[in-house]
Amino acid sequence: MSQNLVIYNSLTGNKEIFKPIHENRVGMYVCGPTLYSEPHMGNMRTFINFDLVYRYLLKLGYQVKYVRNITDAGHITNSAGEDVDSIGKAAKLAQVQSLEIVYTFNRKFIELQRIYNLLPPSIEPTATQHIQEQIEVIEQLIENGFAYVINGSVYFDVRKYSEKFNYGILSGRKIEELEEATRTLNAQDEKRFFADFALWKKANPEDMQIWRSPWGDGNPGWHIECTAMSTKYLGNKFDIHGGGMDLKFPHHEDEIAQSCGSFGHNPANIWMHANMLNVNGQKMSKSFGNYFLPLEIIEGTTDLFDKAYDANVVRFFLMQAHYRSTIDLSKDALTAAEKGYTRLMEATSLLSKLKTQDTSSINVAQLIQSFYNAMNDDFNAPILVANLFEAVSYINKVNDNLATISSDDLKRLKAEMDSFVFDVLGIKASSNNCIDRLSPVMELIINLRAKARENKDWATSDQIRDALSNAGITIKDSKEGTSWS
RNA sequence: GGUCCUGUGGCCGAGAGGCUAGGCACCGGUCUGCAAAACCGUCUACAGCGGUUCGAAUCCGCUCGGGACCUCCA
């Protein structure tokens, strides 16, 4: 099946037909988490969205090299002439070494990825293990005349750069406008120009992380790690660079500047930006205090919701919004998603029990193609979900003898439904690991209840059903017998 | 203040000049001992005001509301 994947490119503002640099192979770099604290649900949404992208590229048969970095080096900002080393600060508070903190949060992050069913990237390089590569890029920038050394620090020379390249090509920013907004803040700075950004920052005595460099002891600037690591693992020209919308400026803009400055071109053909997760109409963020952790939602320990939700329900909920749209998380929305998720899961399991006829009452091939069409249009998962529900409705009708399906069509539909639901959307049937031990017990109970029902002993029958319901087990009576879940 | 995005039915969300997604909820009905599930049906929205057009939720302008970025941020 030939498919034409179209991707929205933030760089051009257009949807473009996706053509990898090397046939059948895709290189994708995504900005990963900063592990000085536990990633919150908003962070997860971005990673889940790029997991979807990764999964669909794999589904289309591409050989994908998916690189997602881990930021474990302290970033230095200089908005008010003040050094801020996030990792170092957190570490001081906790009275432990910064790498211990990073290690702890990394383990949590790995666990979260398992719970939310994220495929592991091909490689997850860390900033601290690529100091040398970062230094090399900085040296190249100095050599090319786009960076300067001052007092043991190195800055990117935006004015010099602007003579040859377009600073602001991604974010649409104009240097003059930037100056308007920031002029007052950066008066007494050692930078030559307000928009210059640090490539290497001289160490402060209280820094917890310090590395040697040709310019003295210090640590790398915020943006250089991504340039160094994407280049190392994907080359200086690769297919897709992704990240959260809030990284567009300055982080991605500066990455482009670093690449242009050192290799002479933009590192990626396509720039993808995933939109924010909102709570109460506002971006989920630490500073707004409206955030919760991915674990809290499935443990039911956040004040925002009165119950726990399965990670698959959360993932399904996220899939109902396009990655470039914001999505609002609320109790009602999650509850709705939970119902829809259950209906979808039940239909997929029904697929293996369907009776077939000589012909199908609908065009199954067309239905299946609609799944591809949805995803081919810039990974439009909400449309895919809508189309999957068309299939759900059809499956239920076949089950109720109101529609028919041929055995060939059933085979194809099952294969594609499973593939799109489980492999592409990355949704799983919620795991019930005690289900095997429970089965014989349930059989016994259902038989007892069936006897009671035969005798029209509704009191007993309802008592059993209510008790099971209290234990979280739902009983369904139908002509074919009683089922439970 | 600058740049940009956005406003869709009770809720969440697609779409993006005519064919008016989908999920959840609600309301009728079928089925059922009753439920649940499933099925059938109902509900037909695009902030406001102008304009372009044979035709606008979709394009343009203005007004009002929400948001993002400009500082660490997924």
PDB file of all heavy atoms in Angstrom, chain B residues 32-43:
ATOM      1  P     U B  32     -36.116  -9.937  25.154  1.00  0.00           P
ATOM      2  OP1   U B  32     -36.183 -11.397  24.895  1.00  0.00           O
ATOM      3  OP2   U B  32     -37.356  -9.130  25.164  1.00  0.00           O
ATOM      4  O5'   U B  32     -35.373  -9.699  26.532  1.00  0.00           O
ATOM      5  C5'   U B  32     -34.136 -10.339  26.780  1.00  0.00           C
ATOM      6  C4'   U B  32     -33.541  -9.797  28.053  1.00  0.00           C
ATOM      7  O4'   U B  32     -33.288  -8.377  27.906  1.00  0.00           O
ATOM      8  C3'   U B  32     -34.443  -9.863  29.276  1.00  0.00           C
ATOM      9  O3'   U B  32     -34.378 -11.158  29.866  1.00  0.00           O
ATOM     10  C2'   U B  32     -33.822  -8.809  30.186  1.00  0.00           C
ATOM     11  O2'   U B  32     -32.696  -9.307  30.852  1.00  0.00           O
ATOM     12  C1'   U B  32     -33.389  -7.734  29.171  1.00  0.00           C
ATOM     13  N1    U B  32     -34.339  -6.612  29.061  1.00  0.00           N
ATOM     14  C2    U B  32     -34.191  -5.567  29.957  1.00  0.00           C
ATOM     15  O2    U B  32     -33.328  -5.553  30.808  1.00  0.00           O
ATOM     16  N3    U B  32     -35.120  -4.554  29.816  1.00  0.00           N
ATOM     17  C4    U B  32     -36.127  -4.474  28.893  1.00  0.00           C
ATOM     18  O4    U B  32     -36.865  -3.492  28.883  1.00  0.00           O
ATOM     19  C5    U B  32     -36.212  -5.603  28.013  1.00  0.00           C
ATOM     20  C6    U B  32     -35.344  -6.612  28.127  1.00  0.00           C
ATOM     21  P     G B  33     -35.686 -11.877  30.277  1.00  0.00           P
ATOM     22  OP1   G B  33     -35.263 -13.174  30.800  1.00  0.00           O
ATOM     23  OP2   G B  33     -36.688 -11.795  29.176  1.00  0.00           O
ATOM     24  O5'   G B  33     -36.200 -10.951  31.458  1.00  0.00           O
ATOM     25  C5'   G B  33     -37.584 -10.953  31.811  1.00  0.00           C
ATOM     26  C4'   G B  33     -37.736 -10.427  33.198  1.00  0.00           C
ATOM     27  O4'   G B  33     -37.053 -11.292  34.114  1.00  0.00           O
ATOM     28  C3'   G B  33     -37.094  -9.070  33.448  1.00  0.00           C
ATOM     29  O3'   G B  33     -37.955  -8.037  33.025  1.00  0.00           O
ATOM     30  C2'   G B  33     -36.913  -9.085  34.960  1.00  0.00           C
ATOM     31  O2'   G B  33     -38.110  -8.794  35.640  1.00  0.00           O
ATOM     32  C1'   G B  33     -36.543 -10.537  35.201  1.00  0.00           C
ATOM     33  N9    G B  33     -35.101 -10.761  35.310  1.00  0.00           N
ATOM     34  C8    G B  33     -34.304 -11.459  34.427  1.00  0.00           C
ATOM     35  N7    G B  33     -33.054 -11.523  34.823  1.00  0.00           N
ATOM     36  C5    G B  33     -33.033 -10.835  36.018  1.00  0.00           C
ATOM     37  C6    G B  33     -31.970 -10.600  36.911  1.00  0.00           C
ATOM     38  O6    G B  33     -30.781 -10.930  36.822  1.00  0.00           O
ATOM     39  N1    G B  33     -32.378  -9.850  38.020  1.00  0.00           N
ATOM     40  C2    G B  33     -33.664  -9.431  38.225  1.00  0.00           C
ATOM     41  N2    G B  33     -33.863  -8.730  39.338  1.00  0.00           N
ATOM     42  N3    G B  33     -34.669  -9.649  37.414  1.00  0.00           N
ATOM     43  C4    G B  33     -34.288 -10.366  36.337  1.00  0.00           C
ATOM     44  P     C B  34     -37.385  -6.882  32.120  1.00  0.00           P
ATOM     45  OP1   C B  34     -38.535  -6.053  31.742  1.00  0.00           O
ATOM     46  OP2   C B  34     -36.515  -7.461  31.076  1.00  0.00           O
ATOM     47  O5'   C B  34     -36.485  -6.050  33.135  1.00  0.00           O
ATOM     48  C5'   C B  34     -37.114  -5.385  34.221  1.00  0.00           C
ATOM     49  C4'   C B  34     -36.087  -5.066  35.270  1.00  0.00           C
ATOM     50  O4'   C B  34     -35.414  -6.264  35.711  1.00  0.00           O
ATOM     51  C3'   C B  34     -34.928  -4.197  34.827  1.00  0.00           C
ATOM     52  O3'   C B  34     -35.315  -2.851  34.726  1.00  0.00           O
ATOM     53  C2'   C B  34     -33.936  -4.414  35.950  1.00  0.00           C
ATOM     54  O2'   C B  34     -34.242  -3.695  37.104  1.00  0.00           O
ATOM     55  C1'   C B  34     -34.145  -5.911  36.220  1.00  0.00           C
ATOM     56  N1    C B  34     -33.118  -6.741  35.571  1.00  0.00           N
ATOM     57  C2    C B  34     -31.841  -6.804  36.150  1.00  0.00           C
ATOM     58  O2    C B  34     -31.636  -6.160  37.177  1.00  0.00           O
ATOM     59  N3    C B  34     -30.888  -7.557  35.562  1.00  0.00           N
ATOM     60  C4    C B  34     -31.165  -8.234  34.452  1.00  0.00           C
ATOM     61  N4    C B  34     -30.191  -8.953  33.914  1.00  0.00           N
ATOM     62  C5    C B  34     -32.452  -8.177  33.820  1.00  0.00           C
ATOM     63  C6    C B  34     -33.391  -7.422  34.413  1.00  0.00           C
ATOM     64  P     A B  35     -34.533  -1.906  33.734  1.00  0.00           P
ATOM     65  OP1   A B  35     -34.955  -0.522  33.990  1.00  0.00           O
ATOM     66  OP2   A B  35     -34.551  -2.444  32.361  1.00  0.00           O
ATOM     67  O5'   A B  35     -33.106  -2.141  34.396  1.00  0.00           O
ATOM     68  C5'   A B  35     -32.015  -1.542  33.886  1.00  0.00           C
ATOM     69  C4'   A B  35     -30.819  -1.879  34.760  1.00  0.00           C
ATOM     70  O4'   A B  35     -30.794  -3.284  35.132  1.00  0.00           O
ATOM     71  C3'   A B  35     -29.522  -1.681  33.999  1.00  0.00           C
ATOM     72  O3'   A B  35     -29.156  -0.316  34.053  1.00  0.00           O
ATOM     73  C2'   A B  35     -28.569  -2.586  34.772  1.00  0.00           C
ATOM     74  O2'   A B  35     -28.152  -2.013  35.977  1.00  0.00           O
ATOM     75  C1'   A B  35     -29.474  -3.789  35.047  1.00  0.00           C
ATOM     76  N9    A B  35     -29.428  -4.782  33.977  1.00  0.00           N
ATOM     77  C8    A B  35     -30.400  -5.090  33.068  1.00  0.00           C
ATOM     78  N7    A B  35     -30.074  -6.037  32.216  1.00  0.00           N
ATOM     79  C5    A B  35     -28.775  -6.355  32.584  1.00  0.00           C
ATOM     80  C6    A B  35     -27.858  -7.290  32.080  1.00  0.00           C
ATOM     81  N6    A B  35     -28.123  -8.094  31.048  1.00  0.00           N
ATOM     82  N1    A B  35     -26.647  -7.360  32.668  1.00  0.00           N
ATOM     83  C2    A B  35     -26.387  -6.549  33.704  1.00  0.00           C
ATOM     84  N3    A B  35     -27.171  -5.636  34.268  1.00  0.00           N
ATOM     85  C4    A B  35     -28.367  -5.593  33.666  1.00  0.00           C
ATOM     86  P     A B  36     -28.834   0.412  32.685  1.00  0.00           P
ATOM     87  OP1   A B  36     -28.667   1.827  33.022  1.00  0.00           O
ATOM     88  OP2   A B  36     -29.776   0.004  31.642  1.00  0.00           O
ATOM     89  O5'   A B  36     -27.412  -0.207  32.334  1.00  0.00           O
ATOM     90  C5'   A B  36     -26.329  -0.106  33.260  1.00  0.00           C
ATOM     91  C4'   A B  36     -25.254  -1.069  32.870  1.00  0.00           C
ATOM     92  O4'   A B  36     -25.740  -2.425  33.028  1.00  0.00           O
ATOM     93  C3'   A B  36     -24.850  -1.006  31.398  1.00  0.00           C
ATOM     94  O3'   A B  36     -23.930   0.043  31.157  1.00  0.00           O
ATOM     95  C2'   A B  36     -24.230  -2.379  31.209  1.00  0.00           C
ATOM     96  O2'   A B  36     -22.954  -2.456  31.783  1.00  0.00           O
ATOM     97  C1'   A B  36     -25.197  -3.240  32.007  1.00  0.00           C
ATOM     98  N9    A B  36     -26.299  -3.742  31.175  1.00  0.00           N
ATOM     99  C8    A B  36     -27.585  -3.280  31.117  1.00  0.00           C
ATOM    100  N7    A B  36     -28.352  -3.937  30.271  1.00  0.00           N
ATOM    101  C5    A B  36     -27.499  -4.885  29.727  1.00  0.00           C
ATOM    102  C6    A B  36     -27.696  -5.897  28.780  1.00  0.00           C
ATOM    103  N6    A B  36     -28.862  -6.124  28.165  1.00  0.00           N
ATOM    104  N1    A B  36     -26.646  -6.673  28.458  1.00  0.00           N
ATOM    105  C2    A B  36     -25.472  -6.452  29.063  1.00  0.00           C
ATOM    106  N3    A B  36     -25.159  -5.533  29.987  1.00  0.00           N
ATOM    107  C4    A B  36     -26.232  -4.779  30.278  1.00  0.00           C
ATOM    108  P     A B  37     -24.001   0.840  29.821  1.00  0.00           P
ATOM    109  OP1   A B  37     -22.961   1.887  29.879  1.00  0.00           O
ATOM    110  OP2   A B  37     -25.406   1.209  29.546  1.00  0.00           O
ATOM    111  O5'   A B  37     -23.566  -0.247  28.745  1.00  0.00           O
ATOM    112  C5'   A B  37     -22.244  -0.764  28.753  1.00  0.00           C
ATOM    113  C4'   A B  37     -22.166  -1.941  27.828  1.00  0.00           C
ATOM    114  O4'   A B  37     -23.108  -2.951  28.262  1.00  0.00           O
ATOM    115  C3'   A B  37     -22.578  -1.658  26.393  1.00  0.00           C
ATOM    116  O3'   A B  37     -21.529  -1.066  25.649  1.00  0.00           O
ATOM    117  C2'   A B  37     -22.910  -3.058  25.901  1.00  0.00           C
ATOM    118  O2'   A B  37     -21.748  -3.810  25.657  1.00  0.00           O
ATOM    119  C1'   A B  37     -23.631  -3.618  27.129  1.00  0.00           C
ATOM    120  N9    A B  37     -25.074  -3.384  27.065  1.00  0.00           N
ATOM    121  C8    A B  37     -25.807  -2.428  27.719  1.00  0.00           C
ATOM    122  N7    A B  37     -27.093  -2.468  27.457  1.00  0.00           N
ATOM    123  C5    A B  37     -27.217  -3.526  26.559  1.00  0.00           C
ATOM    124  C6    A B  37     -28.326  -4.088  25.897  1.00  0.00           C
ATOM    125  N6    A B  37     -29.564  -3.636  26.046  1.00  0.00           N
ATOM    126  N1    A B  37     -28.096  -5.125  25.070  1.00  0.00           N
ATOM    127  C2    A B  37     -26.845  -5.576  24.921  1.00  0.00           C
ATOM    128  N3    A B  37     -25.714  -5.132  25.493  1.00  0.00           N
ATOM    129  C4    A B  37     -25.977  -4.099  26.307  1.00  0.00           C
ATOM    130  P     A B  38     -21.851  -0.052  24.506  1.00  0.00           P
ATOM    131  OP1   A B  38     -20.553   0.380  23.940  1.00  0.00           O
ATOM    132  OP2   A B  38     -22.823   0.951  25.010  1.00  0.00           O
ATOM    133  O5'   A B  38     -22.611  -0.957  23.447  1.00  0.00           O
ATOM    134  C5'   A B  38     -21.911  -1.985  22.753  1.00  0.00           C
ATOM    135  C4'   A B  38     -22.891  -2.773  21.930  1.00  0.00           C
ATOM    136  O4'   A B  38     -23.852  -3.425  22.802  1.00  0.00           O
ATOM    137  C3'   A B  38     -23.757  -1.942  20.994  1.00  0.00           C
ATOM    138  O3'   A B  38     -23.067  -1.611  19.806  1.00  0.00           O
ATOM    139  C2'   A B  38     -24.934  -2.874  20.765  1.00  0.00           C
ATOM    140  O2'   A B  38     -24.590  -3.928  19.888  1.00  0.00           O
ATOM    141  C1'   A B  38     -25.126  -3.434  22.173  1.00  0.00           C
ATOM    142  N9    A B  38     -26.027  -2.603  22.975  1.00  0.00           N
ATOM    143  C8    A B  38     -25.700  -1.664  23.922  1.00  0.00           C
ATOM    144  N7    A B  38     -26.733  -1.074  24.466  1.00  0.00           N
ATOM    145  C5    A B  38     -27.824  -1.651  23.830  1.00  0.00           C
ATOM    146  C6    A B  38     -29.212  -1.462  23.965  1.00  0.00           C
ATOM    147  N6    A B  38     -29.747  -0.594  24.814  1.00  0.00           N
ATOM    148  N1    A B  38     -30.027  -2.207  23.178  1.00  0.00           N
ATOM    149  C2    A B  38     -29.482  -3.078  22.320  1.00  0.00           C
ATOM    150  N3    A B  38     -28.188  -3.351  22.111  1.00  0.00           N
ATOM    151  C4    A B  38     -27.400  -2.599  22.903  1.00  0.00           C
ATOM    152  P     C B  39     -23.359  -0.236  19.112  1.00  0.00           P
ATOM    153  OP1   C B  39     -22.363  -0.073  18.045  1.00  0.00           O
ATOM    154  OP2   C B  39     -23.529   0.820  20.140  1.00  0.00           O
ATOM    155  O5'   C B  39     -24.776  -0.501  18.451  1.00  0.00           O
ATOM    156  C5'   C B  39     -24.942  -1.536  17.494  1.00  0.00           C
ATOM    157  C4'   C B  39     -26.400  -1.714  17.198  1.00  0.00           C
ATOM    158  O4'   C B  39     -27.091  -2.147  18.405  1.00  0.00           O
ATOM    159  C3'   C B  39     -27.126  -0.431  16.815  1.00  0.00           C
ATOM    160  O3'   C B  39     -26.924  -0.116  15.457  1.00  0.00           O
ATOM    161  C2'   C B  39     -28.565  -0.805  17.127  1.00  0.00           C
ATOM    162  O2'   C B  39     -29.112  -1.662  16.157  1.00  0.00           O
ATOM    163  C1'   C B  39     -28.387  -1.571  18.444  1.00  0.00           C
ATOM    164  N1    C B  39     -28.489  -0.695  19.623  1.00  0.00           N
ATOM    165  C2    C B  39     -29.766  -0.318  20.085  1.00  0.00           C
ATOM    166  O2    C B  39     -30.759  -0.732  19.474  1.00  0.00           O
ATOM    167  N3    C B  39     -29.870   0.483  21.159  1.00  0.00           N
ATOM    168  C4    C B  39     -28.771   0.914  21.787  1.00  0.00           C
ATOM    169  N4    C B  39     -28.926   1.692  22.850  1.00  0.00           N
ATOM    170  C5    C B  39     -27.466   0.549  21.341  1.00  0.00           C
ATOM    171  C6    C B  39     -27.367  -0.244  20.263  1.00  0.00           C
ATOM    172  P     C B  40     -26.841   1.370  15.029  1.00  0.00           P
ATOM    173  OP1   C B  40     -26.318   1.392  13.664  1.00  0.00           O
ATOM    174  OP2   C B  40     -26.196   2.166  16.080  1.00  0.00           O
ATOM    175  O5'   C B  40     -28.381   1.766  14.993  1.00  0.00           O
ATOM    176  C5'   C B  40     -29.276   1.095  14.106  1.00  0.00           C
ATOM    177  C4'   C B  40     -30.681   1.566  14.380  1.00  0.00           C
ATOM    178  O4'   C B  40     -31.084   1.166  15.718  1.00  0.00           O
ATOM    179  C3'   C B  40     -30.851   3.079  14.404  1.00  0.00           C
ATOM    180  O3'   C B  40     -30.949   3.621  13.111  1.00  0.00           O
ATOM    181  C2'   C B  40     -32.149   3.213  15.192  1.00  0.00           C
ATOM    182  O2'   C B  40     -33.285   2.908  14.406  1.00  0.00           O
ATOM    183  C1'   C B  40     -31.954   2.147  16.265  1.00  0.00           C
ATOM    184  N1    C B  40     -31.361   2.692  17.498  1.00  0.00           N
ATOM    185  C2    C B  40     -32.199   3.404  18.382  1.00  0.00           C
ATOM    186  O2    C B  40     -33.390   3.547  18.084  1.00  0.00           O
ATOM    187  N3    C B  40     -31.670   3.922  19.520  1.00  0.00           N
ATOM    188  C4    C B  40     -30.381   3.740  19.792  1.00  0.00           C
ATOM    189  N4    C B  40     -29.908   4.266  20.929  1.00  0.00           N
ATOM    190  C5    C B  40     -29.512   3.027  18.911  1.00  0.00           C
ATOM    191  C6    C B  40     -30.037   2.525  17.785  1.00  0.00           C
ATOM    192  P     G B  41     -30.300   5.071  12.850  1.00  0.00           P
ATOM    193  OP1   G B  41     -30.445   5.306  11.401  1.00  0.00           O
ATOM    194  OP2   G B  41     -28.985   5.175  13.497  1.00  0.00           O
ATOM    195  O5'   G B  41     -31.299   6.024  13.622  1.00  0.00           O
ATOM    196  C5'   G B  41     -32.640   6.177  13.162  1.00  0.00           C
ATOM    197  C4'   G B  41     -33.462   6.893  14.209  1.00  0.00           C
ATOM    198  O4'   G B  41     -33.362   6.204  15.478  1.00  0.00           O
ATOM    199  C3'   G B  41     -33.031   8.306  14.568  1.00  0.00           C
ATOM    200  O3'   G B  41     -33.403   9.252  13.594  1.00  0.00           O
ATOM    201  C2'   G B  41     -33.792   8.504  15.867  1.00  0.00           C
ATOM    202  O2'   G B  41     -35.162   8.743  15.651  1.00  0.00           O
ATOM    203  C1'   G B  41     -33.619   7.131  16.530  1.00  0.00           C
ATOM    204  N9    G B  41     -32.500   7.136  17.477  1.00  0.00           N
ATOM    205  C8    G B  41     -31.277   6.521  17.357  1.00  0.00           C
ATOM    206  N7    G B  41     -30.491   6.727  18.393  1.00  0.00           N
ATOM    207  C5    G B  41     -31.253   7.533  19.233  1.00  0.00           C
ATOM    208  C6    G B  41     -30.935   8.086  20.506  1.00  0.00           C
ATOM    209  O6    G B  41     -29.899   7.969  21.164  1.00  0.00           O
ATOM    210  N1    G B  41     -31.985   8.845  21.009  1.00  0.00           N
ATOM    211  C2    G B  41     -33.179   9.043  20.367  1.00  0.00           C
ATOM    212  N2    G B  41     -34.076   9.809  21.003  1.00  0.00           N
ATOM    213  N3    G B  41     -33.491   8.533  19.180  1.00  0.00           N
ATOM    214  C4    G B  41     -32.481   7.795  18.685  1.00  0.00           C
ATOM    215  P     U B  42     -32.569  10.566  13.499  1.00  0.00           P
ATOM    216  OP1   U B  42     -33.081  11.296  12.319  1.00  0.00           O
ATOM    217  OP2   U B  42     -31.123  10.269  13.607  1.00  0.00           O
ATOM    218  O5'   U B  42     -33.009  11.345  14.804  1.00  0.00           O
ATOM    219  C5'   U B  42     -34.359  11.751  14.990  1.00  0.00           C
ATOM    220  C4'   U B  42     -34.498  12.455  16.315  1.00  0.00           C
ATOM    221  O4'   U B  42     -34.088  11.572  17.389  1.00  0.00           O
ATOM    222  C3'   U B  42     -33.588  13.659  16.490  1.00  0.00           C
ATOM    223  O3'   U B  42     -34.125  14.800  15.866  1.00  0.00           O
ATOM    224  C2'   U B  42     -33.554  13.798  18.016  1.00  0.00           C
ATOM    225  O2'   U B  42     -34.700  14.408  18.532  1.00  0.00           O
ATOM    226  C1'   U B  42     -33.525  12.328  18.445  1.00  0.00           C
ATOM    227  N1    U B  42     -32.162  11.833  18.716  1.00  0.00           N
ATOM    228  C2    U B  42     -31.573  12.211  19.918  1.00  0.00           C
ATOM    229  O2    U B  42     -32.128  12.939  20.716  1.00  0.00           O
ATOM    230  N3    U B  42     -30.321  11.711  20.124  1.00  0.00           N
ATOM    231  C4    U B  42     -29.600  10.875  19.289  1.00  0.00           C
ATOM    232  O4    U B  42     -28.482  10.502  19.628  1.00  0.00           O
ATOM    233  C5    U B  42     -30.270  10.544  18.067  1.00  0.00           C
ATOM    234  C6    U B  42     -31.498  11.016  17.829  1.00  0.00           C
ATOM    235  P     C B  43     -33.145  15.727  15.046  1.00  0.00           P
ATOM    236  OP1   C B  43     -33.984  16.666  14.279  1.00  0.00           O
ATOM    237  OP2   C B  43     -32.134  14.896  14.344  1.00  0.00           O
ATOM    238  O5'   C B  43     -32.407  16.524  16.200  1.00  0.00           O
ATOM    239  C5'   C B  43     -33.165  17.167  17.217  1.00  0.00           C
ATOM    240  C4'   C B  43     -32.253  17.544  18.349  1.00  0.00           C
ATOM    241  O4'   C B  43     -31.768  16.336  19.005  1.00  0.00           O
ATOM    242  C3'   C B  43     -30.969  18.243  17.918  1.00  0.00           C
ATOM    243  O3'   C B  43     -31.191  19.625  17.733  1.00  0.00           O
ATOM    244  C2'   C B  43     -30.048  17.970  19.104  1.00  0.00           C
ATOM    245  O2'   C B  43     -30.278  18.848  20.181  1.00  0.00           O
ATOM    246  C1'   C B  43     -30.466  16.554  19.503  1.00  0.00           C
ATOM    247  N1    C B  43     -29.571  15.523  18.957  1.00  0.00           N
ATOM    248  C2    C B  43     -28.485  15.100  19.730  1.00  0.00           C
ATOM    249  O2    C B  43     -28.309  15.601  20.848  1.00  0.00           O
ATOM    250  N3    C B  43     -27.643  14.159  19.239  1.00  0.00           N
ATOM    251  C4    C B  43     -27.853  13.640  18.032  1.00  0.00           C
ATOM    252  N4    C B  43     -27.008  12.716  17.592  1.00  0.00           N
ATOM    253  C5    C B  43     -28.952  14.057  17.220  1.00  0.00           C
ATOM    254  C6    C B  43     -29.773  14.994  17.714  1.00  0.00           C
TER     255        C B  43
END
